[in-house]
Structures are given as C-alpha cells and as structure tokens.
Amino acid sequence: MAMRAPLPVRDGVGPTRLRVPRTGPWATVAEYVTGRFAHMDAEILLGRFDRGEVVAFDGTPLTRETVLGAEDFIWYYREPPDEPDIPFDVSVRHLDDDLLVVDKPHFLPTTPGGGFLQNSALVRLRRQFDNPDLTPIHRLDRATAGLVMFSVRPATRGAYQTLFADRAVEKVYEAVTSIPDSGMPALPLTVRSHLTSTRGSLRAVVHEDREPNAETRIEEIRIGTKAAHLRLHPRTGRMHQLRSHLAGIGLGILGDRFYPDLLDEAPDDPDRPLQLLARELRFVDPLSGRPREFSTGLALREADRL
C-alpha cells in the first residue's frame, strides 16, 4: 500500500520522502540529513527544521533535536533549483474528467528531476489547471517530444495505468535518422534485444546473451540521400529502446547525444533537438469500452528537409 504524503502539493510540486536509518553514527535526524546532503549548506538545511518544514508521517514538525530512530521516514519540500529556462510550451490535445493529453516539447522533462523542477511538464500543468492530482500515466525522455497522457483524478488513474502495464496501448513514433555508408537495411524490420538500465545510468545496456525483452518494428516513411524518415512501433517500453534499436542497426537518430556514441555533456541546442517524436496513442478506453486515438500536433523539422 502506498504511503500517503503528510504534506500537500505546493506550487505544483509534491513533497519529497526520505528514509532515515534507525541506527548509525548520528545522534539526531537533523545530523543525518546534514551528512546525507553534505554538498548543501548545513545551516540552510537546519533552518528547514527550525521553520517546521521537515515533518513526520503524521505531519508533526521535527526539530534539530529529534533523535535518530524516532522516525523511519521524513517529508520535506525540495528547494527550487536554479534551473535553466525552457522556452517551449506544453500544448493540450485533449482534456476530459479523467484524462489530459498534451504535446510535450523537446528538452522539457515529463516530471521533476536532473536539476529541473518548475520546468517540467507535470509541474507546469498542475499549476496551469490548479490540480495537484495530475499524474503522468507514462513518460517521455526529456529529449523526446510528443504525446504524454496524464491522469486527472485518482479514482480512475489505476484503470489507465493498467493499460500501459498490460501493453494494451498502441504507441507510434517517428524519427529522422542518418543513413550509414553501407546503405539502408531492408524495411520493414523488427528489432529485438535484451535491454537493461540502472538508476542514474545514462544509457541502456544491450545483453547479447539474454532473451529479448524489447521489440520495435521499423517502417519507412521517406528515404532521402543522407537521412531517413521512419515510423516506429515499439511493442515494449524499455528505457531508450527506440534510440538503442535504431543505433544498433546503423540508423542513429539525428541530434542524439547518447547513441550510438555518448558525447560530452553540452547545453541544450534548440536548433538541434533529438529527431524523435511520439506521434500516436491508441487504446480501448477501460471505462467506456470505446476505441480512443490521439495524435500529436508537432512535427520533426528534419523530416521536411529530406
């Protein structure tokens, strides 16, 4: 059973939960926290305790003197980071009592993370609609643009989340890729591999000796002299699946800094977004039993240059 947060959503952002050890070389919870986040100014962290901004499971504020072992979990609000601005808007494609479907632009993360908080689709939309219950049903990489579905209310959220868990949602993507010197592989083509990822890892790992757990069907839309516009049908939803599968057959996506080679970190370049787009979502609505289909209003700029 999920643990209910004792603090409400604030400015579109929910509280963060931190597990606290029951024993260790720290006399108090505050001492553990300052050690756990040693990269931050200790007085700033302790000030949160003084202001009652760190609480227990029942919402009771903790103090600097709360002894270690008194609480297994604490909750607090993340301080807004000095995050870069992302000057691209989230556009609404559909809204009803249960679902919100939007077009997420390139460079905007679906949820807070990696130094982005207010500049995430989730926080922007919670503030726009004044709805702290908005929750993404699935996610897109920050670099990928296109359709993302959000649950509007908790009562029906599970029904839509189950669709994705059961692979009952048909997802269609588009990509513009380079063409290798050896030429294009014969299309259509289905690529299968075993992909894994670990928390904090930048790229998915391909295991040649394991049974496939990721599958993508690749179709031709238009082939140019140096680039190809492709339609992608992922049957599974592994991290970086489409990017890894295309790179694995020599069709690296234009603008991809992770595949086939991991390039040095660099600022976002609005003129060179990853040419990957979540084009369509199709499923049978679990509430009405009727087919539903959503299409993006975005396009890949390099597709028009072929």
Side-chain angles (χ1 to χ4, degrees):
M1 183 175 178
M3 191 177 298
R4 185 176 180 85
L7 296 172
V9 171
R10 184 176 73 180
D11 293 330
V13 182
T16 295
R17 185 183 73 182
L18 177 67
R19 187 181 188 94
V20 180
R22 298 195 66 83
T23 61
W26 313 276
T28 64
V29 172
E31 188 178 331
Y32 168 75
V33 170
T34 56
R36 171 72 169 75
F37 299 103
H39 60 287
M40 298 180 63
D41 188 314
E43 285 305 313
I44 292 178
L45 294 174
L46 293 172
R48 297 185 190 179
F49 284 87
D50 296 339
R51 294 190 298 271
E53 296 176 355
V54 181
V55 305
F57 74 96
D58 60 355
T60 302
L62 306 182
T63 71
R64 294 192 189 206
E65 288 74 36
T66 301
V67 297
L68 192 75
E71 303 294 337
D72 291 320
F73 294 94
I74 62 173
W75 282 261
Y76 60 92
Y77 292 108
R78 287 176 56 188
E79 291 291 334
D82 185 14
E83 57 186 300
D85 182 46
I86 301 178
F88 305 109
D89 295 328
V90 180
S91 58
V92 174
R93 302 296 294 169
H94 172 84
L95 176 62
D96 60 35
D97 290 340
D98 302 295
L99 287 180
L100 169 64
V101 184
V102 304
D103 267 334
K104 184 190 80 65
H106 292 289
F107 306 114
L108 187 74
T110 303
T111 57
F116 293 93
L117 187 61
Q118 295 298 327
N119 277 309
S120 65
L122 174 61
V123 173
R124 285 188 183 185
L125 291 167
R126 280 179 171 175
R127 297 181 69 176
Q128 177 180 344
F129 291 100
D130 191 25
N131 182 358
D133 290 326
L134 275 179
T135 302
I137 300 173
H138 65 118
R139 289 170 173 78
L140 291 182
D141 294 339
R142 188 171 82 85
T144 305
L147 295 173
V148 183
M149 283 194 345
F150 290 80
S151 165
V152 172
R153 59 192 183 108
T156 58
R157 182 178 305 152
Y160 292 101
Q161 289 175 329
T162 299
L163 288 176
F164 284 88
D166 292 344
R167 299 179 184 173
V169 178
E170 180 184 354
K171 296 172 284 186
V172 181
Y173 287 72
E174 290 183 14
V176 179
T177 73
S178 59
I179 297 177
D181 294 338
S182 58
M184 285 290 296
L187 298 177
L189 172 66
T190 298
V191 179
R192 299 180 181 87
S193 67
H194 190 106
L195 299 176
T196 62
S197 60
T198 58
R199 185 177 180 85
S201 63
L202 295 178
R203 304 206 305 173
V205 177
V206 180
H207 300 272
E208 303 289 353
D209 59 339
R210 300 184 187 179
E211 288 294 317
N213 64 356
E215 179 179 311
T216 305
R217 181 173 173 81
I218 303 169
E219 301 171 349
E220 170 187 334
I221 297 177
R222 184 182 177 191
I223 306 298
T225 56
K226 295 183 178 180
H229 186 195
L230 305 175
R231 184 180 297 109
L232 312 173
H233 299 269
R235 183 174 176 273
T236 52
R238 301 289 173 178
M239 170 182 150
H240 292 180
Q241 175 178 319
L242 301 179
R243 299 162 75 171
S244 174
H245 279 176
L246 287 170
I249 59 173
L251 303 179
I253 301 176
L254 300 185
D256 197 341
R257 300 189 61 81
F258 284 25
Y259 301 87
D261 300 313
L262 181 60
L263 305 181
D264 291 339
E265 186 175 355
D268 293 335
D269 184 350
D271 293 325
R272 290 183 57 82
L274 178 72
Q275 294 299 283
L276 180 60
L277 176 67
R279 165 62 63 187
E280 298 172 0
L281 291 170
R282 302 189 189 100
F283 56 92
V284 175
D285 192 284
L287 304 183
S288 69
R290 297 175 180 175
R292 304 191 75 171
E293 179 176 339
F294 301 105
S295 298
T296 183
L298 303 176
L300 296 174
R301 65 171 65 182
E302 294 299 330
D304 295 332
R305 299 177 182 177
L306 291 181

mmCIF file of all heavy atoms in Angstrom, residues 65-94:
data_model
loop_
_atom_site.group_PDB
_atom_site.id
_atom_site.type_symbol
_atom_site.label_atom_id
_atom_site.label_comp_id
_atom_site.label_asym_id
_atom_site.label_seq_id
_atom_site.Cartn_x
_atom_site.Cartn_y
_atom_site.Cartn_z
ATOM 1 N N GLU A 65 16.503 18.557 17.410
ATOM 2 C CA GLU A 65 16.795 17.633 18.497
ATOM 3 C C GLU A 65 16.093 16.277 18.345
ATOM 4 O O GLU A 65 16.285 15.384 19.178
ATOM 5 C CB GLU A 65 16.382 18.252 19.836
ATOM 6 C CG GLU A 65 17.279 19.396 20.313
ATOM 7 C CD GLU A 65 17.055 20.662 19.522
ATOM 8 O OE1 GLU A 65 15.888 20.934 19.144
ATOM 9 O OE2 GLU A 65 18.042 21.372 19.252
ATOM 10 N N THR A 66 15.281 16.089 17.321
ATOM 11 C CA THR A 66 14.602 14.802 17.139
ATOM 12 C C THR A 66 15.635 13.695 17.015
ATOM 13 O O THR A 66 16.483 13.721 16.123
ATOM 14 C CB THR A 66 13.700 14.821 15.894
ATOM 15 O OG1 THR A 66 12.720 15.862 16.021
ATOM 16 C CG2 THR A 66 13.001 13.476 15.720
ATOM 17 N N VAL A 67 15.575 12.715 17.892
ATOM 18 C CA VAL A 67 16.636 11.708 17.951
ATOM 19 C C VAL A 67 16.523 10.730 16.784
ATOM 20 O O VAL A 67 15.432 10.450 16.267
ATOM 21 C CB VAL A 67 16.590 10.924 19.289
ATOM 22 C CG1 VAL A 67 16.834 11.855 20.453
ATOM 23 C CG2 VAL A 67 15.262 10.198 19.441
ATOM 24 N N LEU A 68 17.662 10.231 16.361
ATOM 25 C CA LEU A 68 17.687 9.216 15.313
ATOM 26 C C LEU A 68 16.951 7.973 15.796
ATOM 27 O O LEU A 68 17.134 7.539 16.936
ATOM 28 C CB LEU A 68 19.133 8.856 14.963
ATOM 29 C CG LEU A 68 19.307 8.013 13.694
ATOM 30 C CD1 LEU A 68 19.096 8.875 12.456
ATOM 31 C CD2 LEU A 68 20.681 7.364 13.652
ATOM 32 N N GLY A 69 16.107 7.418 14.938
ATOM 33 C CA GLY A 69 15.315 6.257 15.310
ATOM 34 C C GLY A 69 13.889 6.607 15.668
ATOM 35 O O GLY A 69 13.037 5.717 15.763
ATOM 36 N N ALA A 70 13.614 7.892 15.844
ATOM 37 C CA ALA A 70 12.249 8.298 16.183
ATOM 38 C C ALA A 70 11.319 8.178 14.980
ATOM 39 O O ALA A 70 10.117 7.953 15.147
ATOM 40 C CB ALA A 70 12.234 9.733 16.703
ATOM 41 N N GLU A 71 11.875 8.315 13.778
ATOM 42 C CA GLU A 71 11.077 8.255 12.556
ATOM 43 C C GLU A 71 11.808 7.411 11.515
ATOM 44 O O GLU A 71 13.038 7.468 11.406
ATOM 45 C CB GLU A 71 10.830 9.657 11.981
ATOM 46 C CG GLU A 71 10.149 10.619 12.934
ATOM 47 C CD GLU A 71 8.733 10.202 13.259
ATOM 48 O OE1 GLU A 71 8.134 9.452 12.460
ATOM 49 O OE2 GLU A 71 8.211 10.624 14.303
ATOM 50 N N ASP A 72 11.026 6.641 10.755
ATOM 51 C CA ASP A 72 11.602 5.873 9.648
ATOM 52 C C ASP A 72 11.631 6.682 8.353
ATOM 53 O O ASP A 72 12.472 6.448 7.485
ATOM 54 C CB ASP A 72 10.797 4.590 9.406
ATOM 55 C CG ASP A 72 10.964 3.594 10.548
ATOM 56 O OD1 ASP A 72 12.097 3.470 11.045
ATOM 57 O OD2 ASP A 72 9.965 2.956 10.929
ATOM 58 N N PHE A 73 10.693 7.610 8.218
ATOM 59 C CA PHE A 73 10.614 8.441 7.024
ATOM 60 C C PHE A 73 10.358 9.885 7.440
ATOM 61 O O PHE A 73 9.687 10.145 8.443
ATOM 62 C CB PHE A 73 9.482 7.992 6.091
ATOM 63 C CG PHE A 73 9.686 6.627 5.491
ATOM 64 C CD1 PHE A 73 9.139 5.507 6.107
ATOM 65 C CD2 PHE A 73 10.417 6.469 4.326
ATOM 66 C CE1 PHE A 73 9.308 4.254 5.561
ATOM 67 C CE2 PHE A 73 10.599 5.209 3.777
ATOM 68 C CZ PHE A 73 10.047 4.096 4.386
ATOM 69 N N ILE A 74 10.883 10.806 6.654
ATOM 70 C CA ILE A 74 10.571 12.218 6.832
ATOM 71 C C ILE A 74 10.160 12.789 5.482
ATOM 72 O O ILE A 74 10.487 12.233 4.427
ATOM 73 C CB ILE A 74 11.772 13.016 7.406
ATOM 74 C CG1 ILE A 74 12.976 12.965 6.441
ATOM 75 C CG2 ILE A 74 12.151 12.501 8.778
ATOM 76 C CD1 ILE A 74 14.134 13.856 6.861
ATOM 77 N N TRP A 75 9.420 13.877 5.527
ATOM 78 C CA TRP A 75 8.958 14.546 4.305
ATOM 79 C C TRP A 75 9.375 16.008 4.357
ATOM 80 O O TRP A 75 9.394 16.644 5.417
ATOM 81 C CB TRP A 75 7.442 14.470 4.193
ATOM 82 C CG TRP A 75 6.908 13.162 3.717
ATOM 83 C CD1 TRP A 75 6.508 12.836 2.454
ATOM 84 C CD2 TRP A 75 6.680 11.982 4.513
ATOM 85 N NE1 TRP A 75 6.067 11.538 2.407
ATOM 86 C CE2 TRP A 75 6.158 10.986 3.662
ATOM 87 C CE3 TRP A 75 6.888 11.675 5.862
ATOM 88 C CZ2 TRP A 75 5.837 9.718 4.098
ATOM 89 C CZ3 TRP A 75 6.562 10.409 6.314
ATOM 90 C CH2 TRP A 75 6.045 9.450 5.437
ATOM 91 N N TYR A 76 9.677 16.551 3.187
ATOM 92 C CA TYR A 76 10.066 17.956 3.079
ATOM 93 C C TYR A 76 9.875 18.383 1.621
ATOM 94 O O TYR A 76 9.709 17.549 0.718
ATOM 95 C CB TYR A 76 11.521 18.162 3.500
ATOM 96 C CG TYR A 76 12.518 17.385 2.653
ATOM 97 C CD1 TYR A 76 13.114 17.947 1.540
ATOM 98 C CD2 TYR A 76 12.842 16.060 2.977
ATOM 99 C CE1 TYR A 76 14.003 17.224 0.751
ATOM 100 C CE2 TYR A 76 13.731 15.333 2.203
ATOM 101 C CZ TYR A 76 14.304 15.922 1.094
ATOM 102 O OH TYR A 76 15.174 15.202 0.317
ATOM 103 N N TYR A 77 9.884 19.688 1.378
ATOM 104 C CA TYR A 77 9.805 20.207 0.021
ATOM 105 C C TYR A 77 11.208 20.490 -0.511
ATOM 106 O O TYR A 77 12.052 21.043 0.201
ATOM 107 C CB TYR A 77 9.000 21.510 -0.023
ATOM 108 C CG TYR A 77 7.532 21.342 0.273
ATOM 109 C CD1 TYR A 77 6.994 21.797 1.471
ATOM 110 C CD2 TYR A 77 6.685 20.735 -0.650
ATOM 111 C CE1 TYR A 77 5.641 21.650 1.749
ATOM 112 C CE2 TYR A 77 5.329 20.580 -0.375
ATOM 113 C CZ TYR A 77 4.815 21.042 0.819
ATOM 114 O OH TYR A 77 3.484 20.885 1.097
ATOM 115 N N ARG A 78 11.442 20.074 -1.741
ATOM 116 C CA ARG A 78 12.705 20.427 -2.385
ATOM 117 C C ARG A 78 12.749 21.926 -2.617
ATOM 118 O O ARG A 78 11.746 22.549 -2.984
ATOM 119 C CB ARG A 78 12.832 19.733 -3.749
ATOM 120 C CG ARG A 78 13.109 18.258 -3.688
ATOM 121 C CD ARG A 78 13.128 17.664 -5.088
ATOM 122 N NE ARG A 78 14.085 18.323 -5.965
ATOM 123 C CZ ARG A 78 14.179 18.099 -7.270
ATOM 124 N NH1 ARG A 78 13.351 17.247 -7.864
ATOM 125 N NH2 ARG A 78 15.084 18.725 -7.996
ATOM 126 N N GLU A 79 13.905 22.517 -2.388
ATOM 127 C CA GLU A 79 14.080 23.920 -2.727
ATOM 128 C C GLU A 79 14.173 24.042 -4.239
ATOM 129 O O GLU A 79 14.877 23.258 -4.886
ATOM 130 C CB GLU A 79 15.356 24.465 -2.078
ATOM 131 C CG GLU A 79 15.285 24.578 -0.563
ATOM 132 C CD GLU A 79 14.318 25.658 -0.125
ATOM 133 O OE1 GLU A 79 14.093 26.609 -0.894
ATOM 134 O OE2 GLU A 79 13.783 25.536 0.996
ATOM 135 N N PRO A 80 13.456 25.004 -4.844
ATOM 136 C CA PRO A 80 13.551 25.160 -6.295
ATOM 137 C C PRO A 80 15.002 25.400 -6.717
ATOM 138 O O PRO A 80 15.661 26.301 -6.198
ATOM 139 C CB PRO A 80 12.684 26.396 -6.573
ATOM 140 C CG PRO A 80 11.753 26.469 -5.409
ATOM 141 C CD PRO A 80 12.535 25.964 -4.235
ATOM 142 N N PRO A 81 15.532 24.576 -7.623
ATOM 143 C CA PRO A 81 16.910 24.778 -8.057
ATOM 144 C C PRO A 81 17.026 25.980 -8.977
ATOM 145 O O PRO A 81 16.024 26.498 -9.483
ATOM 146 C CB PRO A 81 17.216 23.490 -8.834
ATOM 147 C CG PRO A 81 15.883 23.069 -9.367
ATOM 148 C CD PRO A 81 14.882 23.460 -8.311
ATOM 149 N N ASP A 82 18.231 26.445 -9.168
ATOM 150 C CA ASP A 82 18.494 27.497 -10.139
ATOM 151 C C ASP A 82 18.529 26.822 -11.506
ATOM 152 O O ASP A 82 19.585 26.529 -12.054
ATOM 153 C CB ASP A 82 19.829 28.173 -9.824
ATOM 154 C CG ASP A 82 20.097 29.359 -10.746
ATOM 155 O OD1 ASP A 82 19.151 29.807 -11.422
ATOM 156 O OD2 ASP A 82 21.256 29.804 -10.820
ATOM 157 N N GLU A 83 17.336 26.553 -12.026
ATOM 158 C CA GLU A 83 17.237 25.720 -13.213
ATOM 159 C C GLU A 83 17.182 26.551 -14.487
ATOM 160 O O GLU A 83 16.692 27.683 -14.487
ATOM 161 C CB GLU A 83 15.987 24.835 -13.129
ATOM 162 C CG GLU A 83 14.689 25.593 -12.957
ATOM 163 C CD GLU A 83 13.511 24.658 -12.735
ATOM 164 O OE1 GLU A 83 13.247 23.838 -13.625
ATOM 165 O OE2 GLU A 83 12.871 24.760 -11.678
ATOM 166 N N PRO A 84 17.681 25.987 -15.573
ATOM 167 C CA PRO A 84 17.630 26.716 -16.845
ATOM 168 C C PRO A 84 16.200 26.830 -17.341
ATOM 169 O O PRO A 84 15.374 25.946 -17.118
ATOM 170 C CB PRO A 84 18.472 25.848 -17.782
ATOM 171 C CG PRO A 84 18.438 24.485 -17.182
ATOM 172 C CD PRO A 84 18.364 24.692 -15.703
ATOM 173 N N ASP A 85 15.901 27.942 -17.991
ATOM 174 C CA ASP A 85 14.582 28.142 -18.564
ATOM 175 C C ASP A 85 14.441 27.299 -19.828
ATOM 176 O O ASP A 85 15.404 27.107 -20.582
ATOM 177 C CB ASP A 85 14.376 29.618 -18.906
ATOM 178 C CG ASP A 85 12.993 29.877 -19.472
ATOM 179 O OD1 ASP A 85 12.021 29.357 -18.894
ATOM 180 O OD2 ASP A 85 12.886 30.593 -20.486
ATOM 181 N N ILE A 86 13.249 26.758 -20.049
ATOM 182 C CA ILE A 86 12.946 26.015 -21.276
ATOM 183 C C ILE A 86 11.811 26.755 -21.965
ATOM 184 O O ILE A 86 10.646 26.638 -21.577
ATOM 185 C CB ILE A 86 12.560 24.558 -20.968
ATOM 186 C CG1 ILE A 86 13.709 23.858 -20.242
ATOM 187 C CG2 ILE A 86 12.207 23.811 -22.253
ATOM 188 C CD1 ILE A 86 13.421 22.439 -19.840
ATOM 189 N N PRO A 87 12.127 27.543 -22.993
ATOM 190 C CA PRO A 87 11.138 28.449 -23.589
ATOM 191 C C PRO A 87 10.230 27.786 -24.612
ATOM 192 O O PRO A 87 9.983 28.327 -25.694
ATOM 193 C CB PRO A 87 12.026 29.517 -24.231
ATOM 194 C CG PRO A 87 13.233 28.754 -24.665
ATOM 195 C CD PRO A 87 13.461 27.711 -23.589
ATOM 196 N N PHE A 88 9.720 26.598 -24.276
ATOM 197 C CA PHE A 88 8.795 25.893 -25.158
ATOM 198 C C PHE A 88 7.566 25.502 -24.348
ATOM 199 O O PHE A 88 7.683 25.048 -23.214
ATOM 200 C CB PHE A 88 9.452 24.644 -25.757
ATOM 201 C CG PHE A 88 10.750 24.929 -26.479
ATOM 202 C CD1 PHE A 88 11.954 24.517 -25.925
ATOM 203 C CD2 PHE A 88 10.754 25.600 -27.680
ATOM 204 C CE1 PHE A 88 13.148 24.773 -26.567
ATOM 205 C CE2 PHE A 88 11.951 25.865 -28.336
ATOM 206 C CZ PHE A 88 13.144 25.453 -27.777
ATOM 207 N N ASP A 89 6.396 25.669 -24.952
ATOM 208 C CA ASP A 89 5.152 25.457 -24.232
ATOM 209 C C ASP A 89 4.648 24.023 -24.350
ATOM 210 O O ASP A 89 4.891 23.346 -25.344
ATOM 211 C CB ASP A 89 4.064 26.399 -24.761
ATOM 212 C CG ASP A 89 4.385 27.861 -24.491
ATOM 213 O OD1 ASP A 89 5.032 28.138 -23.460
ATOM 214 O OD2 ASP A 89 3.995 28.715 -25.308
ATOM 215 N N VAL A 90 3.920 23.597 -23.328
ATOM 216 C CA VAL A 90 3.161 22.348 -23.377
ATOM 217 C C VAL A 90 1.799 22.692 -23.972
ATOM 218 O O VAL A 90 1.130 23.611 -23.495
ATOM 219 C CB VAL A 90 2.982 21.746 -21.977
ATOM 220 C CG1 VAL A 90 2.190 20.448 -22.054
ATOM 221 C CG2 VAL A 90 4.328 21.508 -21.316
ATOM 222 N N SER A 91 1.374 21.974 -25.001
ATOM 223 C CA SER A 91 0.082 22.254 -25.622
ATOM 224 C C SER A 91 -0.894 21.117 -25.347
ATOM 225 O O SER A 91 -0.528 19.941 -25.403
ATOM 226 C CB SER A 91 0.223 22.467 -27.131
ATOM 227 O OG SER A 91 0.809 21.344 -27.748
ATOM 228 N N VAL A 92 -2.127 21.475 -25.042
ATOM 229 C CA VAL A 92 -3.154 20.500 -24.702
ATOM 230 C C VAL A 92 -3.786 19.945 -25.974
ATOM 231 O O VAL A 92 -4.228 20.699 -26.848
ATOM 232 C CB VAL A 92 -4.235 21.131 -23.806
ATOM 233 C CG1 VAL A 92 -5.381 20.152 -23.559
ATOM 234 C CG2 VAL A 92 -3.625 21.582 -22.490
ATOM 235 N N ARG A 93 -3.862 18.608 -26.061
ATOM 236 C CA ARG A 93 -4.509 17.944 -27.197
ATOM 237 C C ARG A 93 -5.901 17.430 -26.831
ATOM 238 O O ARG A 93 -6.758 17.306 -27.683
ATOM 239 C CB ARG A 93 -3.643 16.766 -27.675
ATOM 240 C CG ARG A 93 -2.237 17.151 -28.097
ATOM 241 C CD ARG A 93 -2.229 18.054 -29.299
ATOM 242 N NE ARG A 93 -2.723 17.391 -30.497
ATOM 243 C CZ ARG A 93 -3.009 18.008 -31.629
ATOM 244 N NH1 ARG A 93 -2.875 19.333 -31.724
ATOM 245 N NH2 ARG A 93 -3.436 17.336 -32.680
ATOM 246 N N HIS A 94 -6.088 17.128 -25.531
ATOM 247 C CA HIS A 94 -7.384 16.598 -25.097
ATOM 248 C C HIS A 94 -7.496 16.753 -23.587
ATOM 249 O O HIS A 94 -6.525 16.599 -22.854
ATOM 250 C CB HIS A 94 -7.502 15.113 -25.469
ATOM 251 C CG HIS A 94 -8.715 14.451 -24.881
ATOM 252 N ND1 HIS A 94 -9.955 14.507 -25.480
ATOM 253 C CD2 HIS A 94 -8.884 13.735 -23.727
ATOM 254 C CE1 HIS A 94 -10.830 13.854 -24.736
ATOM 255 N NE2 HIS A 94 -10.214 13.384 -23.668
#
